[in-house]
Amino acid sequence: MSRFLDACYRRPTDATPVWFMRQAGRYQPEYRALRAKYDLLTMLRTPEIAVQVTLLPKALGVDALILFADILLPLVPLGLGLRFVPGKGPLLERSLRTVDDIARLQPFPIEEGLGFVLETVRGVRAAEPDLPLIGFAGAPFTLASYALEGGGSRHYQRTKTLMYAHPDAWDRLMRVLTEVTAAYLQAQVQAGAQAVQVFDSWVGALSPAMYRRAVLPHLQRLFSRLADLRVPRIYFSTGTAGWLPDLRSLDVEVISVDWRVDLDRAWAQLGGPERVAIQGNLDPLALLAPRDVLREQVHEVLRRAGGRPGHIFNLGHGILPDTDPDQVRRVVDWVHEATLAV
Ligand code: 1CP
């Protein structure tokens, strides 16, 4: 078995497993060399390239791989038209503007709309049988925010306006996105993914009451639908430290927390190591700090985890493009060295 999968199920491991959100990406010279030749969507849609990029972090010594894909890909078969604009990030050509747009939205067959992702999953498994592969998707709220805003956002004005003014349309949108996400993750696992992570990157923009009322019931349905897959399910969110106890109602193996909360405190609020595994939670900016400061920050996270089974070391959010790959490699080594059972 693997350290990563064992830790997801809170079984003791020989050392604490470590991987990084956004571990395949712009901070790597090998990735930048590929990006100089191909645009991002081409890389994402070409399984041979996506397999190669997924495997790049192996050189860092990580304990798991995450599929090279993007949470926004399902918005293409949903008819919203995705482009990545250099320097600006993702832009949708046809974002949802009216309640009628939402009424027309329909789930699609995953193999038809996103078959290239499943091909990438199969390719990674064939090329790397030893390291577990994590599949992923965007959470319904985070996907909805892109579908409504048309790209990244600061205040989530359209999203929140819809939630407050048209709760029925919001509910329909969340149902369609939950349905698509469940089918997409099922297909990834059938293709060979050994764990799944759901990214709720922007849900911290909500109030606790709004999260409970308009988001949590959909997440509960999503994760229940994934229970039969018998692979670890990871829920990642940021900015949710104010309502962590509410996440206890999710049927998941692992909760991933950001750096805005102490790991031990978060774990206790989530029910502790008896109930759920925890992933996190180094500040990604610590990777840009001097080496001894970084080391101290890594040890602070490990100290709060206390060597209890069920900790997966990760960042609180994705690696930033300015990160030095050597710093990332150091973190992997320090985590393993400090936790290796003797
Ligand atoms: O080369 C480039 O210009 C690309 C940057 C990039 C990369 C490497 C984008 C554009 N997407 C990806 C791949 C990607 N996206 C992966 C696989 C790589 C890995 O993790 O190792 C994953 C897991 C994602 C997930 C993703 N995409 C999230 C959730 C995670 C998070 O960081 O919060 C989000 C919000 C996106 C949207 C997105 N895609 C790309 C950008 C720049 C963004 C964020 C835009 C914004 O701020 O709204």
Side-chain angles (χ1 to χ4, degrees):
M1 266 301 256
S2 94
R3 267 179 201 159
F4 166 74
L5 294 172
D6 278 338
C8 290
Y9 290 115
R10 290 172 283 128
R11 293 193 282 254
T13 53
D14 63 334
T16 297
V18 49
W19 70 279
F20 300 89
M21 287 183 269
R22 295 293 185 100
Q23 65 187 17
R26 281 174 296 180
Y27 76 103
Q28 291 176 303
E30 302 87 347
Y31 176 90
R32 285 199 301 269
L34 282 164
R35 272 288 272 128
K37 286 199 270 178
Y38 310 101
D39 65 87
L40 179 58
L41 269 181
T42 304
M43 285 174 66
L44 292 163
R45 280 180 174 146
T46 312
E48 302 80 72
I49 301 176
V51 169
Q52 197 185 336
V53 177
T54 303
L55 297 174
L56 287 178
K58 266 172 65 174
L60 303 167
V62 291
D63 295 298
L65 298 174
I66 180 153
L67 180 68
F68 180 69
D70 194 273
I71 63 160
L72 303 176
L73 290 174
L75 300 181
V76 178
L78 281 172
L80 307 189
L82 170 67
R83 284 189 299 138
F84 287 98
V85 184
K88 283 186 90 182
L91 265 189
L92 297 177
E93 280 154 19
R94 291 173 295 280
S95 57
L96 303 172
R97 282 287 172 260
T98 62
V99 168
D100 281 348
D101 288 345
I102 293 170
R104 276 193 293 270
L105 214 57
Q106 289 297 336
F108 56 88
I110 300 299
E111 187 66 56
E112 262 170 51
L114 295 167
F116 58 92
V117 176
L118 308 179
E119 197 53 44
T120 300
V121 171
R122 289 187 279 264
V124 174
R125 286 304 309 279
E128 176 51 61
D130 296 330
L131 278 182
L133 174 64
I134 305 167
F136 73 90
F141 172 88
T142 292
L143 270 185
S145 78
Y146 282 102
L148 292 161
E149 309 290 339
S153 177
R154 193 171 156 78
H155 296 297
Y156 301 94
Q157 189 170 325
R158 289 176 193 280
T159 310
K160 291 191 183 184
T161 301
L162 184 76
M163 294 171 86
Y164 285 124
H166 301 282
D168 291 345
W170 172 258
D171 191 68
R172 153 132 182 106
L173 175 57
M174 290 295 273
R175 281 175 190 278
V176 173
L177 295 176
T178 300
E179 173 67 35
V180 166
T181 303
Y184 184 33
L185 291 172
Q186 277 160 355
Q188 290 182 35
V189 171
Q190 275 151 16
Q194 292 144 291
V196 290
Q197 175 157 323
V198 172
F199 283 93
D200 221 348
S201 306
W202 312 131
V203 78
L206 297 179
S207 68
M210 211 52 188
Y211 181 85
R212 280 175 209 126
R213 186 185 333 145
V215 174
L216 198 52
H218 301 284
L219 288 169
Q220 285 165 343
R221 267 189 302 112
L222 172 64
F223 286 113
S224 309
R225 290 224 4 217
L226 303 175
D228 292 347
L229 296 175
R230 311 220 162 273
V231 299
R233 295 158 291 175
I234 310 170
Y235 177 63
F236 163 77
S237 61
T238 73
T240 49
W243 62 82
L244 285 176
D246 291 292
L247 304 191
R248 288 191 196 203
S249 67
L250 296 175
D251 182 17
V252 293
E253 281 67 35
V254 187
I255 302 244
S256 196
V257 294
D258 72 13
W259 64 91
R260 295 171 182 91
V261 55
D262 291 324
L263 187 111
D264 48 347
R265 205 171 150 189
W267 211 351
Q269 291 187 352
L270 293 165
E274 303 75 37
R275 252 200 103 256
V276 72
I278 195 155
Q279 179 173 274
N281 72 341
L282 183 72
D283 180 354
L285 256 304
L287 287 165
L288 276 69
R291 189 182 161 141
D292 40 321
V293 176
L294 173 61
R295 191 183 162 94
E296 196 184 289
Q297 297 283 314
V298 168
H299 280 270
E300 167 73 8
V301 172
L302 292 175
R303 191 176 64 71
R304 292 193 182 269
R308 292 170 288 179
H311 176 224
I312 298 145
F313 192 99
N314 205 315
L315 304 176
H317 204 164
I319 297 188
L320 295 164
D322 288 334
T323 303
D324 173 359
D326 283 339
Q327 290 275 80
V328 181
R329 211 168 286 123
R330 278 179 201 129
V331 172
V332 174
D333 291 344
W334 289 335
V335 171
H336 288 160
E337 280 162 22
T339 59
L340 216 56
V342 280

